[in-house]
Amino acid sequence: MCGGRCSLANPHNPAQGTALHELVVAPTFTRDLARPYNIPGTDIVLNPHATGGCTTPQDARSSSTPSSEVEDNENHVPETAVGPRLQYVHITVEWMERNKNPRSNARPKKQHESKVVSQAVEVLSMSRVEFIPIALSAHDYENKYVAGIANGPLMRVSWSGSPGGKTGAAVISNDANWKIIIDKFRDTLKTAPKLDTVCVAFDLNGMEGFLSRSKRLHSPGPDPYETELAFGTRVPNTENFSPAQIAVASAVDEIKSAHSCAEHGTCFINGDLQHLEMNCFRLNMWGQAVVAGKCKAEAPPPPELLTIWTGSTSASTSKPRGRSGPFPTHPPAPSSSSDTTNLLLTSMVPVMAMMAQNMASNIPRAAIPAPAILPAPRSPIQASSPPPALEDELDVFMDAFRRAKNIPDVTIDKAKDQLRESRFTPDILCESSVTTERLQELTGLAEGEVHQLKKFARQCTGKVEGKRARRGIAF
């Protein structure tokens, strides 16, 4: 029994077996006889009886552990029997692919992509918040999404032999769910120590609320927001402005104080009590003029600025009427040269008329063609349908209204009978004296349909009367 090495055929041999037997075979098939593996060549391996080292765990417990503690540790499983502590994580991301053509009626297709985390991780010792960024790193999403402190994002965790399988995997949303699934995975590893892969699935369409927001840039220090920022949403620092800009700003403040207006804020009021409103651009130009010494803050703005703002050199001058300014009251007197030209043209008119008559008398009459007599143009009559007969006018009108507004035939027939019985015609329906309540009572139509009926009656009555007038039909 004690010859040779310890093996699966002779598991009680105190001599140490091979590394494969002690590290793999014994913990898998004979857990109660599993023992620590020692380096070959040491005293405990060469003389196991003298050192007492090559004993089984059961013998060691019986010799060193009190009887009261043996009963408590009967269900203890060696650490080597739990299986590998590192697991490979297989990550699958899913999303709905949107149609590139917005007019397409095709349903969006669900896409997925699977990758494995670059290194094996110790899943059993990790929290949910620690595990999610490592899992997302397989698809380079660790910086794009962040794990919620209380819950989210949702993920489905499964492994070989997990409850529900991969399709019915449990959905993990918070730390309590994560603890439950880790306990189940730890129990599975006790019976299947070779299990080394965990599958996790994320739905990207449901992870928009966990997108990583860009952080605000700030200067380093114990309190980065204690001092003013040179650029940003805080109050600007005056040290960042030039002396010229500070002088213009001071001049603008003086202008606002000297030319305040209760109605518009800041205005320049001229002698005619006309208000010229000042915006930020005009105030900046005026402030630059004050700094340059062209005017004072309490005085009117320079004339060149008034020209730019109003088109005149003075705010009290009325605007010209026309592009070239106001015209003179009296036309200028003609010069002597223009009088001579007018006299010559006047005397030549009868001479030119006589020459034209002589030339016309010398031309033979046969050579003059007779003017062609053209027929008088006639306005074309556009062909149109004849107007309905007076006795059929109500029927034609109600049928056209039914087709135009898509009203049921039963409703139109009932309304038609009531209108015919009360001697209503289309030209009477559009009269203002016919109230909406009266038509609702007669026809049974809704209030909106009654308004449509009156509007349709006005349009059709105008067309029918025009047709009868063109054909000379009395109406």
Side-chain angles (χ1 to χ4, degrees):
M1 294 294 292
C2 295
R5 292 185 174 184
C6 181
S7 63
L8 189 61
N10 189 11
H12 297 282
N13 193 334
Q16 180 174 274
T18 62
L20 176 64
H21 174 79
E22 298 294 344
L23 296 178
V24 179
V25 178
T28 303
F29 299 101
T30 57
R31 296 183 181 178
D32 296 338
L33 301 177
R35 54 191 176 184
Y37 179 73
N38 300 288
I39 300 175
T42 58
D43 295 338
I44 193 172
V45 176
L46 297 177
N47 193 5
H49 296 284
T51 58
C54 293
T55 57
T56 61
Q58 185 176 2
D59 297 337
R61 289 198 301 269
S62 60
S63 61
S64 60
T65 306
S67 59
S68 59
E69 296 183 3
V70 171
E71 296 179 358
D72 298 338
N73 297 332
E74 286 182 354
N75 298 326
H76 175 72
V77 179
E79 186 68 21
T80 56
V82 177
R85 297 180 61 87
L86 298 179
Q87 290 82 28
Y88 296 100
V89 184
H90 185 271
I91 306 299
T92 302
V93 292
E94 303 172 351
W95 71 92
M96 298 298 294
E97 186 179 20
R98 299 179 180 178
N99 297 324
K100 297 181 180 180
N101 186 5
R103 299 183 179 180
S104 176
N105 295 328
R107 294 182 178 180
K109 298 181 180 179
K110 193 166 188 178
Q111 304 292 337
H112 65 276
E113 184 181 5
S114 300
K115 291 184 180 181
V116 180
V117 179
S118 59
Q119 296 180 356
V121 296
E122 192 175 353
V123 179
L124 296 177
S125 63
M126 300 179 66
S127 64
R128 180 186 61 87
V129 178
E130 295 173 347
F131 175 75
I132 288 178
I134 294 177
L136 293 175
S137 64
H139 297 268
D140 297 330
Y141 288 159
E142 66 274 14
N143 295 326
K144 186 175 181 180
Y145 298 97
V146 294
I149 299 176
N151 53 25
L154 302 181
M155 58 180 175
R156 301 193 305 272
V157 181
S158 61
W159 57 84
S160 178
S162 62
K166 190 173 183 179
T167 56
V171 178
I172 308 302
S173 61
N174 50 38
D175 294 337
N177 302 143
W178 176 255
K179 185 179 183 303
I180 293 173
I181 204 68
I182 287 298
D183 292 342
K184 291 183 179 180
F185 183 58
R186 183 179 287 105
D187 295 339
T188 305
L189 287 178
K190 293 179 181 179
T191 58
K194 293 184 179 181
L195 182 62
D196 60 350
T197 303
V198 179
C199 299
V200 182
F202 292 94
D203 188 359
L204 297 182
N205 295 116
M207 295 174 59
E208 294 181 359
F210 300 93
L211 288 171
S212 178
R213 302 291 185 259
S214 59
K215 298 180 180 179
R216 186 170 64 171
L217 298 177
H218 59 273
S219 58
D223 188 2
Y225 300 110
E226 185 178 2
T227 58
E228 294 181 342
L229 297 176
F231 302 97
T233 58
R234 288 182 169 270
V235 178
N237 193 346
T238 55
E239 296 179 357
N240 296 325
F241 295 96
S242 62
Q245 293 175 331
I246 296 176
V248 172
S250 301
V252 169
D253 292 338
E254 295 178 1
I255 293 172
K256 289 181 179 180
S257 301
H259 300 276
S260 61
C261 176
E263 183 178 359
H264 305 107
T266 304
C267 289
F268 170 67
I269 305 175
N270 58 10
D272 297 335
L273 300 181
Q274 295 179 355
H275 289 239
L276 183 61
E277 298 182 27
M278 294 289 112
N279 52 26
C280 59
F281 303 102
R282 292 179 177 178
L283 288 173
N284 188 26
M285 298 170 64
W286 196 350
Q288 292 178 1
V290 172
V291 173
K294 298 181 180 179
C295 63
K296 294 183 178 180
E298 62 275 5
E304 57 268 18
L305 294 183
L306 293 176
T307 303
I308 297 174
W309 298 339
T310 63
S312 62
T313 57
S314 177
S316 61
T317 305
S318 61
K319 295 184 179 180
R321 295 169 293 174
R323 297 183 179 180
S324 301
F327 294 99
T329 306
H330 301 285
S335 60
S336 59
S337 59
S338 60
D339 293 342
T340 306
T341 303
N342 293 332
L343 291 175
L344 291 175
L345 292 176
T346 304
S347 61
M348 290 181 64
V349 170
V351 177
M352 295 176 66
M354 292 175 61
M355 293 175 63
Q357 291 178 2
N358 294 333
M359 292 176 64
S361 60
N362 295 331
I363 298 175
R365 294 183 179 274
I368 302 175
I373 301 175
L374 299 177
R378 299 177 60 187
S379 59
I381 299 177
Q382 296 181 357
S384 61
S385 59
L390 294 177
E391 59 273 11
D392 300 333
E393 185 177 2
L394 182 61
D395 295 332
V396 174
F397 167 74
M398 294 300 292
D399 292 339
F401 179 69
R402 173 182 57 80
R403 292 191 300 270
K405 304 303 179 182
N406 195 18
I407 300 177
D409 297 341
V410 179
T411 305
I412 291 296
D413 293 339
K414 181 181 178 181
K416 190 189 305 180
D417 295 339
Q418 295 294 331
L419 292 174
R420 184 182 293 106
E421 184 178 353
S422 300
R423 300 295 188 272
F424 272 91
T425 55
D427 55 340
I428 298 178
L429 294 176
C430 56
E431 293 292 335
S432 59
S433 59
V434 181
T435 62
T436 304
E437 292 78 9
R438 176 58 178 162
L439 290 178
Q440 283 186 266
E441 180 183 355
L442 282 176
T443 61
L445 298 174
E447 183 179 358
E449 294 175 341
V450 170
H451 287 289
Q452 293 178 353
L453 181 66
K454 293 174 67 72
K455 182 179 179 180
F456 196 74
R458 287 193 296 269
Q459 297 174 355
C460 292
T461 301
K463 294 180 181 179
V464 172
E465 290 179 354
K467 291 180 179 181
R468 288 173 179 169
R470 289 194 296 269
R471 289 169 173 80
I473 301 174
F475 57 89

